[in-house]
Amino acid sequence: HVQLVESGGGSVQAGGSLRLSCVASRSLYSGACMSWFRRLPGKKREGIGARQRGDGWLPEYADSVKGRFTISRDNDKDTIYLQMDSLKPEDTATYYCAARSASCSLTWARGDLYNWWGQGTQVTVS
């Protein structure tokens, strides 16, 4: 079992930036996929980006955040980050970190394929 703990959420004005962190309770193997999802108010969960723990797969992003959000990793700390720039009010959501033992591949945005989830952190953009 892996526990994921997100942090870094908060309130920010439009155009601002936030960085979310997600720490895993143990190291995952290099092929594991770690991703960020969000749930906007009244809408279903949306995959916004994924990064494999190891090399060999370039990060993927949803069109809605491409060019504004960046996922990075620090394997020594078993942590992934979500750098969010140029934030818009429509980015207001609860953000979740997720991980799975399977590689990211083309199914990275399918939340039902993830084994572990964080508790979520709220981001509000006004």
Side-chain angles (χ1 to χ4, degrees):
H1 181 70
V2 177
Q3 286 186 313
L4 302 173
V5 179
E6 304 103 334
S7 62
S11 298
V12 64
Q13 291 189 335
S17 299
L18 280 176
R19 189 177 80 156
L20 306 183
S21 301
C22 172
V23 182
S25 59
R26 64 171 176 83
S27 295
L28 299 173
Y29 92 110
S30 62
C33 185
M34 298 188 75
S35 301
W36 288 95
F37 288 76
R38 68 184 181 185
R39 189 185 298 276
L40 280 67
K43 297 190 177 181
K44 67 179 182 179
R45 185 176 55 199
E46 171 192 23
I48 57 174
R51 181 159 193 145
Q52 200 141 289
R53 188 182 183 281
D55 296 326
W57 192 83
L58 293 175
E60 291 276 354
Y61 300 92
D63 289 343
S64 58
V65 305
K66 200 171 291 183
R68 300 187 298 122
F69 290 11
T70 305
I71 298 176
S72 60
R73 68 180 187 229
D74 185 337
N75 289 342
D76 290 340
K77 297 181 180 179
D78 297 316
T79 300
I80 63 165
Y81 304 95
L82 178 65
Q83 178 67 41
M84 304 185 292
D85 299 317
S86 302
L87 282 162
K88 306 174 182 179
E90 51 263 44
D91 294 318
T92 295
T94 303
Y95 285 73
Y96 299 89
C97 172
R100 68 191 195 192
S101 51
S103 60
C104 290
S105 74
L106 296 175
T107 63
W108 68 267
R110 282 187 54 182
D112 60 314
L113 298 181
Y114 284 80
N115 305 104
W116 306 289
W117 290 85
Q119 80 286 356
T121 186
Q122 178 67 33
V123 172
T124 302
V125 185
S126 59

